[in-house]
Structures are given as C-alpha cells and as structure tokens.
Amino acid sequence: MKTALATVTLSGTLPAKLEAAAAAGFEGVEIFENDLLQYEGSPADVRRMAEGLGLEIIALQPFRDMEGMPEPYRSQKFSYLQRKFALAHELGTSRLLMCSNVSPYASGDREQCAADLHALADMAAQEGLTLGYEALAWGRFIADYEDAWDLVKRADHPNLGINLDTFHMFARGNTLGCLRDEIPVDKIALVQIADAPIMQMDVLQYSRHFRCFPGQGDLPVVDFVRCLQDKGFDDYLSHEIFNDEFRSSSAKEKAVDGMRSMIWLQEQASQKEPEQASEITDIEFVEFAVEGDTGEELIGLLNQLGFRETHRHRSKNVSLMRQGDINLILNREPESQAHEHFQRHGVSVCALAFASSDLKSTLARADRYHLQRFEHQAGPGELNIPAIRGVGDSLVYFVERNGAYRFFDIDFVPVEAEQEQLGLQRIDHMGQSVAKTDFLSASFFYKSLFDFDIEPSQDLPDIFGLVVSRTAKSANGRVRIPINMTDAREASPQRFIQRSKGSGFQQVAFECEDIFKAAAGAGPENLLPIPANYYDDIEARFALEPAFVAKLKAHNLLYDRSEEGGELFHFYTRETHGVFFEVLQRTGGYSRYGEANAHIRLAAQSRQYELQNGR
C-alpha cells in the first residue's frame, strides 16, 4: 500500500508541510482546505510544488453537511461543491471527501440523503471526479461507518465510494464485520488511519485533540489494515491526525514519526506473527558528558554510592566507573559528541548502550525505520560501536556481548583502585523526562525499534501539578525506561527540561543486594530527606513493626508491598545537575517501581529545589 498524510496532521505553512511529507518519504498528501485557503499562491502553484517534491495530491477535503438539507441550503451546497470541482482540477486531484451531516437542519430520511449523494456523484462524474463519503463519529444521523455504507449502497453510483477513517470507526466501538463481509474493495474511496488512547470523553473533543499515529495509541488499527490486505486493497493509507502536540511540533520531525508509524503498521499487518526485533537484553553502559571540573559533584556522589574509576580509555579523555555489572562512562573528550552535548545541556547523560542479541538485525531495523545513524571517531584497534540518534539529543549505542570480552576490555586500560563495594549490582531502570510534544514519539521509538512493551499511562502527583508517566519495557524485563511528561512548569520533569534545555535522562536506578548497607554507605547528607509523616502512614497502612519503621526512617528509605507479598525498599539521592539516582532492592517478586511513593519523592524533590533557590 502507498503512504500519504493529510496536511492537517502537521504544523506550519502549506509549503513546509509538503516539504516535510516528501522528506519523510510519503508518496501522497490530502490537501486540507484550510491549508489551501491560508496559502498565498494559487492551487496550480500547490500542484506544481507537490509534483516537484514527488508528491501526488490524492484528495481535497473536507466538504460538510452536503446530504439531506432543505432548500435553500441544498442548492447552496450543490453550487458550492460544483465550484470546488474546478479547484480539484487545478490541484490535479480526482478525489473529494465529504463528511456526514451535523447540521440541525439535516434530515434523517435515508432515501432523500441517498438521492442527494447520487445527484452529487452525477455532478462529479461529469468532471471525471470521485466522491468519498465518511461517517463522522458525531454525525447527526450517520455516525457509524455501517450506516455510511448503507447510504453509499442506496445511492448506487460508480463515482461515489465510502471513506474509511479508523478513528471514527473505533471511537464508537464499531467492529470490522461490515468491512470484511459487505464492502467491496472497489467502493473504498480512501482510507484514513489514526490511532488514539482509550478515553471516556466527548467524542468531538476526543477527535480534535487526542488522535495519534498508529502504534502510539490503543485502537485496533493493525487488525483493520490486515482486513484491508485480505480484501486486496492496494491504494493509499493516509494519516489524518488532529493532535495539539502535533500542531505545536516540528513538521519535519512529526512527518518522520508518521512514516515510522506507517512502516510499523504495515509490518505488523503483513503477517499473522510479525517479525520480532532482535532482543535488547540489558543496558551495557550509561555515558555522562562532563568537562573540566564541572563533574566533580557528580563524581563525588557516585563515589559515595561505591563507584570508583576502574578503567581509562586508551586514546581519549574518557574514564569508566564500575560496580557490579554497572558501567558508567565519564566523557571529557573535547572532540566528541559528548562535548557537543555538554555545550547544549551541561553535565548530563549523553548516551546509553543497549546489549543486543543480534547487532546486524538491530541496525537493519534502525535503518528501515529511518533512524539517523551516528558515526564517531575510533582509533586504531578500537571498537567502532554503532549508534543512532535517540530521544532528544542523546545517543543509543549497540553492543553484542561476547563471552570472551566486554567493550571495556578492548578500548580501556584497567586502573588499580580501592573500592568499598556497596553491593550495587545492575541498572534497574532509567527515567527519561521529555517535553509534552515528545511524549508519544519517545514511547513509539522504543516500541517500534525494539519491540518494547509500552505500559499504560498513569498520573503521578507532583505538588506543582500532575506528571504523566508510561514505561517502555524490554521483552526480558531487564531494560525499563519510565517516560515522564508534565504541563506544570515547576513540576520535576519540567524543571529538569528547563535546566537541561531539552528532553533527557533525569534518573538512573540501581538494583542492590542490601539496601540498608547501600543507604548507610551513601551517607545521610546525600540522601533525599523523607518527611516523618510518611513513616507514620506506612506503619499503619502495612501494619509494620515500629522498630522496622524506625530503621527505614533512619535511612530515608521508602517502602512498598504488592498484593502478592513482594516488597520494595528504595532511596533517592539529592539531585546533582538535575540528575538523581535511586537505589532499590526487590524481594518476593516485586516487579513495579514504587509508584505509590512517587508523590512523596516528587514533593521531597520540590522542597529541596525551593531550599536551593531560597524560597
């Protein structure tokens, strides 16, 4: 199937939208009439511009309230559409799309409505044009696509077909039965694809603000495309997305997101069991951008957590701190991506590396999804670790773990260092704070490229506003990336984004074998203070022994227990350069993240922020 998008999907001027669509690899565009009306050039100019970019203008839309109108409105609508035929010819398109009537003057008489559609199709036929009729989910009498199909059948005209829009279908709970069993493929005028999160709200507001690209929501769009494929449909699939964040984002970036979504959608629909991505098995390392002595506060905190410099790079100003199976790279190299990252964001996480079960397959998938490769300078005999641009300005490296060696055995020289181990074992998860406009893109990045499971969103209450969080998790559960976003300017993710000037990793969580030993070793001055009221609450809520609660309180430890009896113990460090660390211990199969304690952590961090800023 060919790919297209409606210009309403993207932000900016009409030329910018067309350029973004073409650059992303789309073959066609639907011209949303508002975009055309706002454009200073002629429709013929738009046609030439599209042709120059290799784009087909596949439709002009939308035309509203056309059927079942009383006079004089009926004659006015017919005259209006007749004039738009000339516009379609100038644009070089043969399709015009109509929406079901929402006017209070509309008639629900299906015979009258079908007769109007037949008459309109007769007019289009004389111009060599085709009309597509679509059921709006809030249509006055025609709101379901089954009813739209009934009208198209009744009208019975070769120049009239049905327009299928997945949002309007699934927002009302429609099934695929009518499409599968009744609608012939040659009567499908156009297919518009949109996804959305499952929400209970007014359908018009739902449609205007919360649509998203397939794979970013919860609607059964894959089943829909499989049904089309089974019917032999081979025309355009077109994105038509109404979304506030899309309209305030870069047109080029959103167009690329849309193309990735199309690739994912057709791959998922192409076979009953979609091809699996090579498995991401673990986080191999996390890289920090530092410069001069700017990272001393960070290094001091890591020292308190039991990390020491164990290796230095053979040819670059790069060092490695290790503990257990945790690898933290400090990159001070002046000619590097880390230096560029530092210039933009200060001391920060500039990259992480995933261990892949099949490096070749991972890179091929990244290329297929139009992910930008990053090439770095490797010295003689050094590993050239492949990387792609990730979320924000960070990089994602890929390594294939070999039983004979690890990446640091090749590029780094061991350094003797006394190390008082605190029992930190591995990276449990990494929290990524993103701008609202990046929230859907970030989760889809992990879902499409790595087949990570995206857990449902949940609200975390910060004292300055709600934080929305959803976690991307690898198939084996060892890589977990909570993605956090908020509208509240002073809530934790936004404070981080403002300080760091962009989306990035704000949290690194380490799993340990003895939480009390780790907390004692970290030192009280480095821990996030937890209010006494919290401990009174958990003592009552979980029926804990007072002596045990006192021990938790002495170390600023937070506690949670699952319904199955698993337990979580965890503490947080104070923030340094906007980044903070968490140390946790799970027992009894506890698998969550202590979400019940998130409001305590967020409030404690806000208090520290206010104290640091003299409030």
Side-chain angles (χ1 to χ4, degrees):
M1 300 180 194
K2 295 179 285 188
T3 59
L5 59 72
T7 55
V8 73
T9 302
L10 304 177
S11 66
T13 64
L14 182 55
K17 294 181 182 195
L18 297 181
E19 289 168 5
F26 285 96
E27 298 157 278
V29 288
E30 298 176 56
I31 299 296
F32 193 70
E33 194 176 28
N34 283 1
D35 287 317
L36 185 61
L37 297 178
Q38 294 165 350
Y39 179 56
E40 292 181 352
S42 69
D45 291 336
V46 175
R47 176 179 183 171
R48 284 189 290 270
M49 184 165 39
E51 288 175 346
L53 292 167
L55 293 170
E56 179 184 355
I57 296 177
I58 66 169
L60 174 64
Q61 60 105 345
F63 298 98
R64 308 175 188 276
D65 303 335
M66 304 300 297
E67 81 285 7
M69 295 294 281
E71 293 292 356
Y73 302 110
R74 180 179 184 275
S75 296
Q76 292 171 359
K77 287 291 183 181
F78 276 50
S79 175
Y80 172 77
L81 189 63
Q82 182 69 57
R83 294 189 62 177
K84 295 300 178 179
F85 291 160
L87 179 57
H89 289 313
E90 281 192 78
L91 287 171
T93 188
S94 62
R95 286 184 265 207
L96 294 88
L97 302 186
M98 303 183 297
C99 302
S100 60
N101 208 315
V102 298
S103 168
Y105 302 110
S107 167
D109 184 328
R110 293 208 177 180
E111 292 302 325
Q112 178 188 342
C113 291
D116 285 346
L117 291 180
H118 185 96
L120 291 165
D122 252 350
M123 292 164 51
Q126 294 174 28
E127 301 282 345
L129 301 173
T130 298
L131 301 181
Y133 181 71
E134 172 183 330
L136 289 178
W138 54 92
R140 187 170 181 203
F141 296 108
I142 303 296
D144 294 302
Y145 86 103
E146 295 96 331
D147 293 322
W149 171 237
D150 179 64
L151 274 189
V152 170
K153 280 194 303 182
R154 289 172 186 252
D156 190 22
H157 198 290
N159 289 69
L160 176 70
I162 186 170
N163 184 50
L164 298 173
D165 183 307
T166 56
F167 177 84
H168 292 298
M169 292 170 63
F170 296 128
R172 290 182 55 84
N174 297 162
T175 69
L176 295 173
C178 179
L179 173 60
R180 182 178 296 111
D181 300 331
E182 297 184 36
I183 302 177
V185 71
D186 61 354
K187 294 301 290 183
I188 299 174
L190 188 65
V191 172
Q192 294 172 318
I193 301 287
D195 206 340
I198 297 297
M199 304 176 74
Q200 297 298 319
M201 65 183 303
D202 174 74
V203 70
L204 178 57
Q205 293 303 309
Y206 186 24
S207 171
R208 287 289 179 257
H209 303 287
F210 295 100
R211 297 195 207 188
C212 55
F213 289 128
Q216 296 179 342
D218 306 310
L219 302 182
V221 288
V222 172
D223 293 340
F224 172 82
V225 174
R226 283 182 181 152
C227 184
L228 288 179
Q229 289 178 339
D230 290 343
K231 296 177 76 69
F233 180 82
D234 63 355
D235 200 355
Y236 279 98
L237 294 181
S238 182
H239 287 310
E240 187 195 42
I241 313 294
F242 294 84
N243 184 291
D244 296 342
E245 279 66 58
F246 285 27
R247 288 189 285 264
S248 58
S249 302
S250 159
K252 289 184 177 180
E253 291 177 3
K254 279 295 173 280
V256 171
D257 274 357
M259 179 50 65
R260 288 175 186 157
S261 170
M262 283 291 192
I263 295 167
W264 175 86
L265 180 62
Q266 296 195 56
E267 282 188 352
Q268 295 292 308
S270 65
Q271 46 196 330
K272 296 302 179 184
E273 294 185 7
E275 172 196 353
Q276 297 297 308
S278 59
E279 185 178 7
I280 299 300
T281 58
D282 222 326
I283 295 175
E284 181 73 358
F285 63 76
V286 175
E287 182 176 352
F288 291 88
V290 294
E291 193 164 295
D293 59 1
T294 59
E296 292 305 311
E297 183 183 356
L298 171 69
I299 294 169
L301 179 55
L302 292 172
N303 283 334
Q304 283 296 119
L305 290 174
F307 291 94
R308 297 292 185 275
E309 183 182 282
T310 62
H311 296 72
R312 290 179 188 157
H313 199 277
R314 293 180 181 277
S315 64
K316 298 180 176 65
N317 192 1
V318 178
S319 58
L320 172 64
M321 304 181 83
R322 301 199 71 228
Q323 183 174 184
D325 199 27
I326 304 167
N327 301 302
L328 305 178
I329 291 176
L330 302 175
N331 193 330
R332 303 176 179 85
E333 180 66 21
E335 300 295 330
S336 67
Q337 179 271 341
H339 173 72
E340 294 176 8
H341 199 276
F342 177 87
Q343 293 295 106
R344 290 191 295 267
H345 307 289
V347 175
S348 53
V349 175
C350 61
L352 78 163
F354 287 146
S356 169
S357 63
D358 185 343
L359 187 57
K360 184 177 179 180
S361 174
T362 298
L363 293 174
R365 192 177 181 94
D367 291 340
R368 194 160 67 249
Y369 276 85
H370 299 202
L371 273 300
Q372 183 182 353
R373 292 276 199 106
F374 173 79
E375 302 295 337
H376 64 98
Q377 297 295 322
E382 295 173 358
L383 291 175
N384 190 358
I385 304 176
I388 61 170
R389 297 284 180 183
V391 177
D393 287 332
S394 63
L395 297 181
V396 178
Y397 288 96
F398 302 108
V399 297
E400 227 172 22
R401 285 188 178 174
N402 185 304
Y405 64 87
R406 298 284 290 277
F407 75 95
F408 49 82
D409 294 323
I410 305 297
D411 287 357
F412 290 79
V413 177
V415 174
E416 287 192 19
E418 293 183 6
Q419 184 171 354
E420 181 184 348
Q421 293 281 344
L422 294 188
L424 276 58
Q425 299 169 311
R426 57 177 300 274
I427 295 173
D428 184 88
H429 61 274
M430 294 184 63
Q432 196 162 24
S433 292
V434 302
K436 189 173 182 180
T437 52
D438 293 336
F439 190 60
L440 292 172
S441 298
S443 59
F444 190 67
F445 171 80
Y446 296 108
K447 178 177 182 175
S448 61
L449 184 57
F450 307 119
D451 276 352
F452 280 14
D453 179 53
I454 307 300
E455 298 179 352
S457 297
Q458 56 184 319
D459 292 339
L460 307 177
D462 188 293
I463 63 173
F464 293 113
L466 284 179
V467 175
V468 181
S469 181
R470 64 191 313 185
T471 298
K473 185 170 70 174
S474 65
N476 66 0
R478 289 181 64 83
V479 180
R480 295 184 263 204
I481 301 180
I483 304 166
N484 305 310
M485 161 290 274
T486 182
D487 278 330
R489 183 173 177 79
E490 293 196 323
S492 176
Q494 271 298 329
R495 292 199 306 268
F496 172 81
I497 289 169
Q498 290 164 30
R499 181 213 163 275
S500 300
K501 299 181 176 63
S503 302
F505 287 102
Q506 184 180 11
Q507 173 192 14
V508 185
F510 304 117
E511 184 180 355
C512 75
E513 58 191 16
D514 185 340
I515 192 70
F516 293 100
K517 176 183 176 181
E525 70 280 4
N526 293 308
L527 303 187
L528 185 68
I530 303 301
N533 290 333
Y534 168 77
Y535 295 100
D536 293 338
D537 176 68
I538 61 170
E539 181 178 336
R541 181 155 42 105
F542 296 111
L544 300 174
E545 291 295 328
F548 177 68
V549 174
K551 190 177 179 182
L552 294 174
K553 182 178 179 181
H555 293 289
N556 285 293
L557 288 174
L558 296 147
Y559 175 87
D560 192 30
R561 182 193 299 161
S562 67
E563 292 183 0
E564 296 76 22
E567 295 178 301
L568 174 72
F569 304 84
H570 58 141
F571 68 83
Y572 296 92
T573 69
R574 298 173 186 265
E575 293 183 5
T576 173
H577 301 284
V579 176
F580 64 93
F581 300 99
E582 178 185 6
V583 179
L584 58 86
Q585 182 179 0
R586 305 170 187 272
T587 66
Y590 185 98
S591 61
R592 298 300 302 165
Y593 311 91
E595 294 95 330
N597 295 323
H599 67 295
I600 302 297
R601 185 260 296 176
L602 290 165
Q605 288 175 328
S606 293
R607 278 194 297 275
Q608 292 300 305
Y609 169 75
E610 290 183 321
L611 288 171
Q612 290 169 4
N613 288 274
R615 297 188 180 184

